[in-house]
Amino acid sequence: MIATESNPLLDGLQIRRRPEPCVLVIYGASGDLTQRKLMPALYSLAYRHLLPEHFAVVGAARSEESDDEFRERMKEAVRKHARDEFRQEVWDELANGMRYCTLDFSDAAGEDQLTELLREVDSERGTQGNRVYYFAVPPSAIETLIREIAARREGDGWVRLIVEKPFGHDLASAKHLNELIGEQFAENEVFRIDHYLGKETVQNMLALRFANGIFEPIWNRQFIDHVQITVAESIGIEGRAAFYERAGAIRDIFQNHLLQLVAITAMEPPSDFTADSVRNEKVKVLRSLHTPGPKSVVRGQYGRGFIEGQEVPGYREEEGVSPTSMTETFVAAKLYVDNWRWADTPIYVRMGKRLPRRETTIAIQFKRAPHPPFEETAAEGLRPNVLLIHVQPNEGMSLAIGAKVPGQGMSIRTVHMDFLYGSAFREGLPEAYERLVLDAMLGDATLFTRADEIEEQWALVDAITAAWQRDRPAFPNYAAGTWGPPSADELLHRDGRSWRRH
Ligand code: NDP
Ligand code: BG6
């Protein structure tokens, strides 16, 4: 166990400056994301006095609601989903600056009404015309909103746009969206969210690699045998059939969260921690990803099975899903980064719904010691060194090393050195959305994806999905509650390797 000195400043969110006055406009304020993630994140920021001194939240959506009804609904959402205890005085301060506007995005009159409301809020709350627009809306609505916001820009206040994923549906649509945004806004006004980058453990990869002298010299093909990245979820599609049928696992998670984990794991050290330096290094990795051939990509779809002892339906039996759906709910692939650091070092990735448990891990598997001077029998229980980063849950990391078993003679076994956030730091981990919303208010885009990164990610996904058009796998091909189809295991067995023991 690793101990740290208790220091409240170690809660990274507490050492930031406060953002300038602004209004956060949430388009899609009646939706799932707003109540489960955004409002609880705002509450936690308010709880820590991290919101601007002059601040307001204006929710906008189609559903009819008064300001008070909106506040009441958001209060329930905070009670249910926030990580912090509910404190009336914290809530009151936040709720005092909350307003709601009923509008249909395609209706110009509604947008006029919103503009009027924002002016009123500026004069009441001293928010100085500064705006953060959060698009918590279906991707199809984004184009209209971009045009409306650009057309209504006024005064000296700054504007920032937070755009949710998925950003486009393929390379062509993402390029189109980037071009449209680029015509009206500067890149530093655009914040494309990938909430995995807001996770503490993902940011800690940068600290681990670049703040310690011991890892970087061995973080390469000479010492690393291969990397395994797993993004496993035990949940199914949670009523999001309309979205998921179109997206599938490859667009929902592989294209964004998973490829960002690959980029962070494989990138070169940036010269500093500014948005451009970090993103310049990530995009180089994404550009160097070799397109995997058909044999190096596996897709799956879950059938009926058991999760924690409960029987759950197969994907094709979920409400809103076609009984003959060919949408994948699992993807595994062998990726190569074509550069000097990683040449010939496979990065195996897998991700899926209805796997046995929720687990996101990055496992760096090192090569075996070149010449252990022990008898073969002494080292029977010894496995190669693995640095295992637990992105979630049980956030932390663990280094597997060989150690002598106490007693007579020489017998060596694998043991683990663990660092757990829960015991090393006093403060709970902030939710990813807290960090990201705060960063956008501060104008810091380091943890957001840049246009070129998004496009590289889509280029890879387009190549994979184009190859998928040529065959029709026999879906479903894995039972809910198992680790994907047998072909996912074969992907590694062919190379004389196997997925980390579950
Ligand atoms: P929901 O379908 O729950 O909410 C969509 C929101 O958009 C509703 O408030 C809806 O208003 C509003 N809306 C849609 N069309 C219009 C329109 N024409 N005019 C006015 N309002 C409109 O979606 P989610 O909250 O789940 O997702 C929002 C975005 O966030 C999506 O891009 C999604 O991919 C992304 N996302 C969501 C995650 C989640 O956990 N939910 C996680 C990661 C990303 P109304 O209902 O009142 O009509
Ligand atoms: C979202 C996906 O981006 O990430 C969901 O749309 C998925 O399908 C979710 O469940 C997972 O996020 P987390 O933070 O729970 O790992």
Side-chain angles (χ1 to χ4, degrees), residues 28-33 36 61-63 103-105 136-139 164-166 433:
S30 59
D32 176 71
L33 184 72
R36 271 195 321 108
R62 242 172 341 205
S63 306
L103 89 171
D104 191 310
F105 304 146
V137 297
E164 261 298 343
K165 62 154 276 268
Y433 281 92

mmCIF file with all atom_site columns, all heavy atoms in Angstrom, residues 28-33 36 61-63 103-105 136-139 164-166 433, ligand 1:
data_model
loop_
_atom_site.group_PDB
_atom_site.id
_atom_site.type_symbol
_atom_site.label_atom_id
_atom_site.label_alt_id
_atom_site.label_comp_id
_atom_site.label_asym_id
_atom_site.label_entity_id
_atom_site.label_seq_id
_atom_site.pdbx_PDB_ins_code
_atom_site.Cartn_x
_atom_site.Cartn_y
_atom_site.Cartn_z
_atom_site.occupancy
_atom_site.B_iso_or_equiv
_atom_site.pdbx_formal_charge
_atom_site.auth_seq_id
_atom_site.auth_comp_id
_atom_site.auth_asym_id
_atom_site.auth_atom_id
_atom_site.pdbx_PDB_model_num
ATOM   1   N N   . GLY A 1 28  ? -31.140 21.011 -24.246 1.00 0.00 ? 28  GLY A N   1
ATOM   2   C CA  . GLY A 1 28  ? -31.442 19.609 -23.911 1.00 0.00 ? 28  GLY A CA  1
ATOM   3   C C   . GLY A 1 28  ? -31.603 19.451 -22.406 1.00 0.00 ? 28  GLY A C   1
ATOM   4   O O   . GLY A 1 28  ? -31.278 18.408 -21.830 1.00 0.00 ? 28  GLY A O   1
ATOM   5   N N   . ALA A 1 29  ? -32.161 20.518 -21.771 1.00 0.00 ? 29  ALA A N   1
ATOM   6   C CA  . ALA A 1 29  ? -32.224 20.541 -20.299 1.00 0.00 ? 29  ALA A CA  1
ATOM   7   C C   . ALA A 1 29  ? -33.242 19.557 -19.730 1.00 0.00 ? 29  ALA A C   1
ATOM   8   O O   . ALA A 1 29  ? -33.260 19.321 -18.521 1.00 0.00 ? 29  ALA A O   1
ATOM   9   C CB  . ALA A 1 29  ? -32.547 21.955 -19.831 1.00 0.00 ? 29  ALA A CB  1
ATOM   10  N N   . SER A 1 30  ? -34.106 18.998 -20.595 1.00 0.00 ? 30  SER A N   1
ATOM   11  C CA  . SER A 1 30  ? -35.064 18.021 -20.052 1.00 0.00 ? 30  SER A CA  1
ATOM   12  C C   . SER A 1 30  ? -34.543 16.590 -20.236 1.00 0.00 ? 30  SER A C   1
ATOM   13  O O   . SER A 1 30  ? -35.233 15.638 -19.911 1.00 0.00 ? 30  SER A O   1
ATOM   14  C CB  . SER A 1 30  ? -36.418 18.178 -20.758 1.00 0.00 ? 30  SER A CB  1
ATOM   15  O OG  . SER A 1 30  ? -36.240 17.986 -22.149 1.00 0.00 ? 30  SER A OG  1
ATOM   16  N N   . GLY A 1 31  ? -33.338 16.450 -20.766 1.00 0.00 ? 31  GLY A N   1
ATOM   17  C CA  . GLY A 1 31  ? -32.842 15.118 -21.126 1.00 0.00 ? 31  GLY A CA  1
ATOM   18  C C   . GLY A 1 31  ? -32.114 14.382 -20.004 1.00 0.00 ? 31  GLY A C   1
ATOM   19  O O   . GLY A 1 31  ? -31.915 14.902 -18.902 1.00 0.00 ? 31  GLY A O   1
ATOM   20  N N   . ASP A 1 32  ? -31.725 13.175 -20.351 1.00 0.00 ? 32  ASP A N   1
ATOM   21  C CA  . ASP A 1 32  ? -31.081 12.254 -19.401 1.00 0.00 ? 32  ASP A CA  1
ATOM   22  C C   . ASP A 1 32  ? -29.712 12.760 -18.926 1.00 0.00 ? 32  ASP A C   1
ATOM   23  O O   . ASP A 1 32  ? -29.399 12.745 -17.732 1.00 0.00 ? 32  ASP A O   1
ATOM   24  C CB  . ASP A 1 32  ? -30.938 10.903 -20.126 1.00 0.00 ? 32  ASP A CB  1
ATOM   25  C CG  . ASP A 1 32  ? -30.203 9.884  -19.299 1.00 0.00 ? 32  ASP A CG  1
ATOM   26  O OD1 . ASP A 1 32  ? -30.791 9.424  -18.309 1.00 0.00 ? 32  ASP A OD1 1
ATOM   27  O OD2 . ASP A 1 32  ? -29.043 9.565  -19.632 1.00 0.00 ? 32  ASP A OD2 1
ATOM   28  N N   . LEU A 1 33  ? -28.900 13.248 -19.867 1.00 0.00 ? 33  LEU A N   1
ATOM   29  C CA  . LEU A 1 33  ? -27.545 13.686 -19.510 1.00 0.00 ? 33  LEU A CA  1
ATOM   30  C C   . LEU A 1 33  ? -27.599 14.841 -18.509 1.00 0.00 ? 33  LEU A C   1
ATOM   31  O O   . LEU A 1 33  ? -26.835 14.881 -17.542 1.00 0.00 ? 33  LEU A O   1
ATOM   32  C CB  . LEU A 1 33  ? -26.795 14.113 -20.779 1.00 0.00 ? 33  LEU A CB  1
ATOM   33  C CG  . LEU A 1 33  ? -25.339 14.503 -20.568 1.00 0.00 ? 33  LEU A CG  1
ATOM   34  C CD1 . LEU A 1 33  ? -24.486 13.277 -20.273 1.00 0.00 ? 33  LEU A CD1 1
ATOM   35  C CD2 . LEU A 1 33  ? -24.771 15.222 -21.791 1.00 0.00 ? 33  LEU A CD2 1
ATOM   36  N N   . ARG A 1 36  ? -28.692 13.374 -15.028 1.00 0.00 ? 36  ARG A N   1
ATOM   37  C CA  . ARG A 1 36  ? -27.816 12.378 -14.387 1.00 0.00 ? 36  ARG A CA  1
ATOM   38  C C   . ARG A 1 36  ? -26.391 12.888 -14.180 1.00 0.00 ? 36  ARG A C   1
ATOM   39  O O   . ARG A 1 36  ? -25.704 12.496 -13.253 1.00 0.00 ? 36  ARG A O   1
ATOM   40  C CB  . ARG A 1 36  ? -27.798 11.085 -15.197 1.00 0.00 ? 36  ARG A CB  1
ATOM   41  C CG  . ARG A 1 36  ? -28.903 10.119 -14.787 1.00 0.00 ? 36  ARG A CG  1
ATOM   42  C CD  . ARG A 1 36  ? -28.707 8.723  -15.309 1.00 0.00 ? 36  ARG A CD  1
ATOM   43  N NE  . ARG A 1 36  ? -28.194 8.673  -16.647 1.00 0.00 ? 36  ARG A NE  1
ATOM   44  C CZ  . ARG A 1 36  ? -26.962 8.311  -16.975 1.00 0.00 ? 36  ARG A CZ  1
ATOM   45  N NH1 . ARG A 1 36  ? -26.118 7.938  -16.046 1.00 0.00 ? 36  ARG A NH1 1
ATOM   46  N NH2 . ARG A 1 36  ? -26.585 8.283  -18.232 1.00 0.00 ? 36  ARG A NH2 1
ATOM   47  N N   . ALA A 1 61  ? -35.260 23.432 -23.735 1.00 0.00 ? 61  ALA A N   1
ATOM   48  C CA  . ALA A 1 61  ? -35.693 22.192 -24.381 1.00 0.00 ? 61  ALA A CA  1
ATOM   49  C C   . ALA A 1 61  ? -37.140 22.373 -24.822 1.00 0.00 ? 61  ALA A C   1
ATOM   50  O O   . ALA A 1 61  ? -37.750 23.418 -24.557 1.00 0.00 ? 61  ALA A O   1
ATOM   51  C CB  . ALA A 1 61  ? -35.569 21.007 -23.431 1.00 0.00 ? 61  ALA A CB  1
ATOM   52  N N   . ARG A 1 62  ? -37.658 21.338 -25.465 1.00 0.00 ? 62  ARG A N   1
ATOM   53  C CA  . ARG A 1 62  ? -39.023 21.427 -25.997 1.00 0.00 ? 62  ARG A CA  1
ATOM   54  C C   . ARG A 1 62  ? -40.086 21.332 -24.904 1.00 0.00 ? 62  ARG A C   1
ATOM   55  O O   . ARG A 1 62  ? -41.125 21.967 -24.985 1.00 0.00 ? 62  ARG A O   1
ATOM   56  C CB  . ARG A 1 62  ? -39.223 20.269 -26.977 1.00 0.00 ? 62  ARG A CB  1
ATOM   57  C CG  . ARG A 1 62  ? -39.507 20.696 -28.351 1.00 0.00 ? 62  ARG A CG  1
ATOM   58  C CD  . ARG A 1 62  ? -39.511 19.547 -29.316 1.00 0.00 ? 62  ARG A CD  1
ATOM   59  N NE  . ARG A 1 62  ? -38.820 18.352 -28.834 1.00 0.00 ? 62  ARG A NE  1
ATOM   60  C CZ  . ARG A 1 62  ? -38.294 17.431 -29.636 1.00 0.00 ? 62  ARG A CZ  1
ATOM   61  N NH1 . ARG A 1 62  ? -38.366 17.571 -30.934 1.00 0.00 ? 62  ARG A NH1 1
ATOM   62  N NH2 . ARG A 1 62  ? -37.704 16.363 -29.137 1.00 0.00 ? 62  ARG A NH2 1
ATOM   63  N N   . SER A 1 63  ? -39.841 20.494 -23.900 1.00 0.00 ? 63  SER A N   1
ATOM   64  C CA  . SER A 1 63  ? -40.854 20.266 -22.861 1.00 0.00 ? 63  SER A CA  1
ATOM   65  C C   . SER A 1 63  ? -41.253 21.584 -22.207 1.00 0.00 ? 63  SER A C   1
ATOM   66  O O   . SER A 1 63  ? -40.390 22.411 -21.902 1.00 0.00 ? 63  SER A O   1
ATOM   67  C CB  . SER A 1 63  ? -40.309 19.344 -21.774 1.00 0.00 ? 63  SER A CB  1
ATOM   68  O OG  . SER A 1 63  ? -39.828 18.177 -22.346 1.00 0.00 ? 63  SER A OG  1
ATOM   69  N N   . LEU A 1 103 ? -38.423 25.853 -25.896 1.00 0.00 ? 103 LEU A N   1
ATOM   70  C CA  . LEU A 1 103 ? -38.271 26.190 -27.316 1.00 0.00 ? 103 LEU A CA  1
ATOM   71  C C   . LEU A 1 103 ? -37.994 24.953 -28.155 1.00 0.00 ? 103 LEU A C   1
ATOM   72  O O   . LEU A 1 103 ? -37.510 23.934 -27.641 1.00 0.00 ? 103 LEU A O   1
ATOM   73  C CB  . LEU A 1 103 ? -37.157 27.224 -27.531 1.00 0.00 ? 103 LEU A CB  1
ATOM   74  C CG  . LEU A 1 103 ? -35.711 26.798 -27.755 1.00 0.00 ? 103 LEU A CG  1
ATOM   75  C CD1 . LEU A 1 103 ? -34.867 27.966 -28.141 1.00 0.00 ? 103 LEU A CD1 1
ATOM   76  C CD2 . LEU A 1 103 ? -35.143 26.138 -26.542 1.00 0.00 ? 103 LEU A CD2 1
ATOM   77  N N   . ASP A 1 104 ? -38.366 25.057 -29.422 1.00 0.00 ? 104 ASP A N   1
ATOM   78  C CA  . ASP A 1 104 ? -37.981 24.032 -30.387 1.00 0.00 ? 104 ASP A CA  1
ATOM   79  C C   . ASP A 1 104 ? -36.816 24.629 -31.170 1.00 0.00 ? 104 ASP A C   1
ATOM   80  O O   . ASP A 1 104 ? -36.905 25.763 -31.641 1.00 0.00 ? 104 ASP A O   1
ATOM   81  C CB  . ASP A 1 104 ? -39.161 23.704 -31.314 1.00 0.00 ? 104 ASP A CB  1
ATOM   82  C CG  . ASP A 1 104 ? -38.869 22.462 -32.127 1.00 0.00 ? 104 ASP A CG  1
ATOM   83  O OD1 . ASP A 1 104 ? -37.770 22.394 -32.736 1.00 0.00 ? 104 ASP A OD1 1
ATOM   84  O OD2 . ASP A 1 104 ? -39.699 21.543 -32.144 1.00 0.00 ? 104 ASP A OD2 1
ATOM   85  N N   . PHE A 1 105 ? -35.718 23.869 -31.291 1.00 0.00 ? 105 PHE A N   1
ATOM   86  C CA  . PHE A 1 105 ? -34.512 24.432 -31.911 1.00 0.00 ? 105 PHE A CA  1
ATOM   87  C C   . PHE A 1 105 ? -34.763 24.944 -33.328 1.00 0.00 ? 105 PHE A C   1
ATOM   88  O O   . PHE A 1 105 ? -34.069 25.826 -33.807 1.00 0.00 ? 105 PHE A O   1
ATOM   89  C CB  . PHE A 1 105 ? -33.381 23.407 -31.954 1.00 0.00 ? 105 PHE A CB  1
ATOM   90  C CG  . PHE A 1 105 ? -33.029 22.842 -30.598 1.00 0.00 ? 105 PHE A CG  1
ATOM   91  C CD1 . PHE A 1 105 ? -32.621 21.526 -30.474 1.00 0.00 ? 105 PHE A CD1 1
ATOM   92  C CD2 . PHE A 1 105 ? -33.111 23.627 -29.456 1.00 0.00 ? 105 PHE A CD2 1
ATOM   93  C CE1 . PHE A 1 105 ? -32.288 20.998 -29.229 1.00 0.00 ? 105 PHE A CE1 1
ATOM   94  C CE2 . PHE A 1 105 ? -32.790 23.114 -28.218 1.00 0.00 ? 105 PHE A CE2 1
ATOM   95  C CZ  . PHE A 1 105 ? -32.384 21.792 -28.103 1.00 0.00 ? 105 PHE A CZ  1
ATOM   96  N N   . ALA A 1 136 ? -26.468 19.307 -25.012 1.00 0.00 ? 136 ALA A N   1
ATOM   97  C CA  . ALA A 1 136 ? -26.872 17.978 -24.508 1.00 0.00 ? 136 ALA A CA  1
ATOM   98  C C   . ALA A 1 136 ? -28.078 17.520 -25.311 1.00 0.00 ? 136 ALA A C   1
ATOM   99  O O   . ALA A 1 136 ? -29.165 17.285 -24.774 1.00 0.00 ? 136 ALA A O   1
ATOM   100 C CB  . ALA A 1 136 ? -27.199 18.074 -23.022 1.00 0.00 ? 136 ALA A CB  1
ATOM   101 N N   . VAL A 1 137 ? -27.881 17.427 -26.605 1.00 0.00 ? 137 VAL A N   1
ATOM   102 C CA  . VAL A 1 137 ? -28.989 17.208 -27.544 1.00 0.00 ? 137 VAL A CA  1
ATOM   103 C C   . VAL A 1 137 ? -28.616 16.098 -28.519 1.00 0.00 ? 137 VAL A C   1
ATOM   104 O O   . VAL A 1 137 ? -27.439 15.763 -28.657 1.00 0.00 ? 137 VAL A O   1
ATOM   105 C CB  . VAL A 1 137 ? -29.257 18.489 -28.356 1.00 0.00 ? 137 VAL A CB  1
ATOM   106 C CG1 . VAL A 1 137 ? -29.696 19.610 -27.433 1.00 0.00 ? 137 VAL A CG1 1
ATOM   107 C CG2 . VAL A 1 137 ? -28.038 18.914 -29.156 1.00 0.00 ? 137 VAL A CG2 1
ATOM   108 N N   . PRO A 1 138 ? -29.603 15.563 -29.251 1.00 0.00 ? 138 PRO A N   1
ATOM   109 C CA  . PRO A 1 138 ? -29.248 14.578 -30.270 1.00 0.00 ? 138 PRO A CA  1
ATOM   110 C C   . PRO A 1 138 ? -28.332 15.220 -31.314 1.00 0.00 ? 138 PRO A C   1
ATOM   111 O O   . PRO A 1 138 ? -28.500 16.409 -31.629 1.00 0.00 ? 138 PRO A O   1
ATOM   112 C CB  . PRO A 1 138 ? -30.602 14.210 -30.901 1.00 0.00 ? 138 PRO A CB  1
ATOM   113 C CG  . PRO A 1 138 ? -31.645 14.731 -29.976 1.00 0.00 ? 138 PRO A CG  1
ATOM   114 C CD  . PRO A 1 138 ? -31.039 15.833 -29.183 1.00 0.00 ? 138 PRO A CD  1
ATOM   115 N N   . PRO A 1 139 ? -27.402 14.450 -31.875 1.00 0.00 ? 139 PRO A N   1
ATOM   116 C CA  . PRO A 1 139 ? -26.445 15.000 -32.835 1.00 0.00 ? 139 PRO A CA  1
ATOM   117 C C   . PRO A 1 139 ? -27.128 15.738 -33.988 1.00 0.00 ? 139 PRO A C   1
ATOM   118 O O   . PRO A 1 139 ? -26.608 16.737 -34.494 1.00 0.00 ? 139 PRO A O   1
ATOM   119 C CB  . PRO A 1 139 ? -25.701 13.761 -33.353 1.00 0.00 ? 139 PRO A CB  1
ATOM   120 C CG  . PRO A 1 139 ? -25.888 12.718 -32.292 1.00 0.00 ? 139 PRO A CG  1
ATOM   121 C CD  . PRO A 1 139 ? -27.164 13.026 -31.583 1.00 0.00 ? 139 PRO A CD  1
ATOM   122 N N   . GLU A 1 164 ? -21.277 17.446 -27.312 1.00 0.00 ? 164 GLU A N   1
ATOM   123 C CA  . GLU A 1 164 ? -21.250 16.061 -26.804 1.00 0.00 ? 164 GLU A CA  1
ATOM   124 C C   . GLU A 1 164 ? -20.861 15.078 -27.901 1.00 0.00 ? 164 GLU A C   1
ATOM   125 O O   . GLU A 1 164 ? -20.919 15.394 -29.088 1.00 0.00 ? 164 GLU A O   1
ATOM   126 C CB  . GLU A 1 164 ? -22.634 15.686 -26.251 1.00 0.00 ? 164 GLU A CB  1
ATOM   127 C CG  . GLU A 1 164 ? -22.763 15.802 -24.758 1.00 0.00 ? 164 GLU A CG  1
ATOM   128 C CD  . GLU A 1 164 ? -21.822 14.862 -23.975 1.00 0.00 ? 164 GLU A CD  1
ATOM   129 O OE1 . GLU A 1 164 ? -21.297 13.904 -24.556 1.00 0.00 ? 164 GLU A OE1 1
ATOM   130 O OE2 . GLU A 1 164 ? -21.600 15.112 -22.785 1.00 0.00 ? 164 GLU A OE2 1
ATOM   131 N N   . LYS A 1 165 ? -20.482 13.925 -27.505 1.00 0.00 ? 165 LYS A N   1
ATOM   132 C CA  . LYS A 1 165 ? -20.252 12.837 -28.448 1.00 0.00 ? 165 LYS A CA  1
ATOM   133 C C   . LYS A 1 165 ? -21.563 12.117 -28.719 1.00 0.00 ? 165 LYS A C   1
ATOM   134 O O   . LYS A 1 165 ? -22.452 12.227 -27.889 1.00 0.00 ? 165 LYS A O   1
ATOM   135 C CB  . LYS A 1 165 ? -19.209 11.863 -27.891 1.00 0.00 ? 165 LYS A CB  1
ATOM   136 C CG  . LYS A 1 165 ? -19.673 11.196 -26.574 1.00 0.00 ? 165 LYS A CG  1
ATOM   137 C CD  . LYS A 1 165 ? -19.034 9.885  -26.338 1.00 0.00 ? 165 LYS A CD  1
ATOM   138 C CE  . LYS A 1 165 ? -19.706 8.746  -27.019 1.00 0.00 ? 165 LYS A CE  1
ATOM   139 N NZ  . LYS A 1 165 ? -20.726 8.033  -26.268 1.00 0.00 ? 165 LYS A NZ  1
ATOM   140 N N   . PRO A 1 166 ? -21.769 11.387 -29.779 1.00 0.00 ? 166 PRO A N   1
ATOM   141 C CA  . PRO A 1 166 ? -20.804 11.225 -30.862 1.00 0.00 ? 166 PRO A CA  1
ATOM   142 C C   . PRO A 1 166 ? -20.756 12.473 -31.747 1.00 0.00 ? 166 PRO A C   1
ATOM   143 O O   . PRO A 1 166 ? -21.781 13.048 -32.059 1.00 0.00 ? 166 PRO A O   1
ATOM   144 C CB  . PRO A 1 166 ? -21.355 10.026 -31.636 1.00 0.00 ? 166 PRO A CB  1
ATOM   145 C CG  . PRO A 1 166 ? -22.812 9.992  -31.324 1.00 0.00 ? 166 PRO A CG  1
ATOM   146 C CD  . PRO A 1 166 ? -22.992 10.605 -29.979 1.00 0.00 ? 166 PRO A CD  1
ATOM   147 N N   . TYR A 1 433 ? -17.489 14.991 -15.377 1.00 0.00 ? 433 TYR A N   1
ATOM   148 C CA  . TYR A 1 433 ? -18.187 16.174 -15.881 1.00 0.00 ? 433 TYR A CA  1
ATOM   149 C C   . TYR A 1 433 ? -17.888 17.427 -15.054 1.00 0.00 ? 433 TYR A C   1
ATOM   150 O O   . TYR A 1 433 ? -17.955 18.535 -15.553 1.00 0.00 ? 433 TYR A O   1
ATOM   151 C CB  . TYR A 1 433 ? -19.697 15.918 -15.972 1.00 0.00 ? 433 TYR A CB  1
ATOM   152 C CG  . TYR A 1 433 ? -20.041 15.115 -17.207 1.00 0.00 ? 433 TYR A CG  1
ATOM   153 C CD1 . TYR A 1 433 ? -20.122 13.731 -17.175 1.00 0.00 ? 433 TYR A CD1 1
ATOM   154 C CD2 . TYR A 1 433 ? -20.256 15.745 -18.427 1.00 0.00 ? 433 TYR A CD2 1
ATOM   155 C CE1 . TYR A 1 433 ? -20.418 12.992 -18.312 1.00 0.00 ? 433 TYR A CE1 1
ATOM   156 C CE2 . TYR A 1 433 ? -20.548 15.016 -19.575 1.00 0.00 ? 433 TYR A CE2 1
ATOM   157 C CZ  . TYR A 1 433 ? -20.631 13.640 -19.511 1.00 0.00 ? 433 TYR A CZ  1
ATOM   158 O OH  . TYR A 1 433 ? -20.907 12.930 -20.645 1.00 0.00 ? 433 TYR A OH  1
HETATM 159 P P1  . NDP B 2 .   ? -32.134 12.721 -24.336 1.00 0.00 ? 1   NDP B P1  1
HETATM 160 O O1  . NDP B 2 .   ? -32.859 12.166 -25.509 1.00 0.00 ? 1   NDP B O1  1
HETATM 161 O O2  . NDP B 2 .   ? -32.471 12.238 -22.985 1.00 0.00 ? 1   NDP B O2  1
HETATM 162 O O3  . NDP B 2 .   ? -32.354 14.329 -24.323 1.00 0.00 ? 1   NDP B O3  1
HETATM 163 C C1  . NDP B 2 .   ? -32.354 15.100 -25.496 1.00 0.00 ? 1   NDP B C1  1
HETATM 164 C C2  . NDP B 2 .   ? -32.705 16.522 -25.142 1.00 0.00 ? 1   NDP B C2  1
HETATM 165 O O4  . NDP B 2 .   ? -32.718 17.315 -26.331 1.00 0.00 ? 1   NDP B O4  1
HETATM 166 C C3  . NDP B 2 .   ? -34.080 16.687 -24.510 1.00 0.00 ? 1   NDP B C3  1
HETATM 167 O O5  . NDP B 2 .   ? -33.985 17.692 -23.536 1.00 0.00 ? 1   NDP B O5  1
HETATM 168 C C4  . NDP B 2 .   ? -34.937 17.172 -25.672 1.00 0.00 ? 1   NDP B C4  1
HETATM 169 O O6  . NDP B 2 .   ? -36.015 17.963 -25.280 1.00 0.00 ? 1   NDP B O6  1
HETATM 170 C C5  . NDP B 2 .   ? -33.948 18.027 -26.397 1.00 0.00 ? 1   NDP B C5  1
HETATM 171 N N1  . NDP B 2 .   ? -34.348 18.198 -27.798 1.00 0.00 ? 1   NDP B N1  1
HETATM 172 C C6  . NDP B 2 .   ? -34.239 17.302 -28.805 1.00 0.00 ? 1   NDP B C6  1
HETATM 173 N N2  . NDP B 2 .   ? -34.693 17.851 -29.950 1.00 0.00 ? 1   NDP B N2  1
HETATM 174 C C7  . NDP B 2 .   ? -35.090 19.106 -29.650 1.00 0.00 ? 1   NDP B C7  1
HETATM 175 C C8  . NDP B 2 .   ? -35.643 20.165 -30.403 1.00 0.00 ? 1   NDP B C8  1
HETATM 176 N N3  . NDP B 2 .   ? -35.883 20.054 -31.707 1.00 0.00 ? 1   NDP B N3  1
HETATM 177 N N4  . NDP B 2 .   ? -35.904 21.320 -29.781 1.00 0.00 ? 1   NDP B N4  1
HETATM 178 C C9  . NDP B 2 .   ? -35.682 21.458 -28.459 1.00 0.00 ? 1   NDP B C9  1
HETATM 179 N N5  . NDP B 2 .   ? -35.163 20.486 -27.675 1.00 0.00 ? 1   NDP B N5  1
HETATM 180 C C10 . NDP B 2 .   ? -34.876 19.328 -28.280 1.00 0.00 ? 1   NDP B C10 1
HETATM 181 O O7  . NDP B 2 .   ? -30.590 12.578 -24.668 1.00 0.00 ? 1   NDP B O7  1
HETATM 182 P P2  . NDP B 2 .   ? -29.363 12.468 -23.640 1.00 0.00 ? 1   NDP B P2  1
HETATM 183 O O8  . NDP B 2 .   ? -29.506 13.495 -22.588 1.00 0.00 ? 1   NDP B O8  1
HETATM 184 O O9  . NDP B 2 .   ? -29.185 11.068 -23.254 1.00 0.00 ? 1   NDP B O9  1
HETATM 185 O O10 . NDP B 2 .   ? -28.130 12.797 -24.599 1.00 0.00 ? 1   NDP B O10 1
HETATM 186 C C11 . NDP B 2 .   ? -27.844 14.100 -25.073 1.00 0.00 ? 1   NDP B C11 1
HETATM 187 C C12 . NDP B 2 .   ? -26.504 14.083 -25.806 1.00 0.00 ? 1   NDP B C12 1
HETATM 188 O O11 . NDP B 2 .   ? -25.485 13.673 -24.901 1.00 0.00 ? 1   NDP B O11 1
HETATM 189 C C13 . NDP B 2 .   ? -26.449 13.084 -26.965 1.00 0.00 ? 1   NDP B C13 1
HETATM 190 O O12 . NDP B 2 .   ? -25.609 13.609 -27.967 1.00 0.00 ? 1   NDP B O12 1
HETATM 191 C C14 . NDP B 2 .   ? -25.792 11.859 -26.355 1.00 0.00 ? 1   NDP B C14 1
HETATM 192 O O13 . NDP B 2 .   ? -25.121 11.076 -27.319 1.00 0.00 ? 1   NDP B O13 1
HETATM 193 C C15 . NDP B 2 .   ? -24.799 12.527 -25.406 1.00 0.00 ? 1   NDP B C15 1
HETATM 194 N N6  . NDP B 2 .   ? -24.399 11.652 -24.307 1.00 0.00 ? 1   NDP B N6  1
HETATM 195 C C16 . NDP B 2 .   ? -25.316 11.204 -23.403 1.00 0.00 ? 1   NDP B C16 1
HETATM 196 C C17 . NDP B 2 .   ? -24.910 10.392 -22.358 1.00 0.00 ? 1   NDP B C17 1
HETATM 197 C C18 . NDP B 2 .   ? -25.882 9.928  -21.328 1.00 0.00 ? 1   NDP B C18 1
HETATM 198 O O14 . NDP B 2 .   ? -25.422 9.273  -20.366 1.00 0.00 ? 1   NDP B O14 1
HETATM 199 N N7  . NDP B 2 .   ? -27.162 10.226 -21.450 1.00 0.00 ? 1   NDP B N7  1
HETATM 200 C C19 . NDP B 2 .   ? -23.488 9.989  -22.188 1.00 0.00 ? 1   NDP B C19 1
HETATM 201 C C20 . NDP B 2 .   ? -22.610 10.531 -23.182 1.00 0.00 ? 1   NDP B C20 1
HETATM 202 C C21 . NDP B 2 .   ? -23.066 11.332 -24.201 1.00 0.00 ? 1   NDP B C21 1
HETATM 203 P P3  . NDP B 2 .   ? -37.493 17.375 -25.033 1.00 0.00 ? 1   NDP B P3  1
HETATM 204 O O15 . NDP B 2 .   ? -37.328 16.012 -24.451 1.00 0.00 ? 1   NDP B O15 1
HETATM 205 O O16 . NDP B 2 .   ? -38.052 18.341 -24.055 1.00 0.00 ? 1   NDP B O16 1
HETATM 206 O O17 . NDP B 2 .   ? -38.163 17.337 -26.343 1.00 0.00 ? 1   NDP B O17 1
#
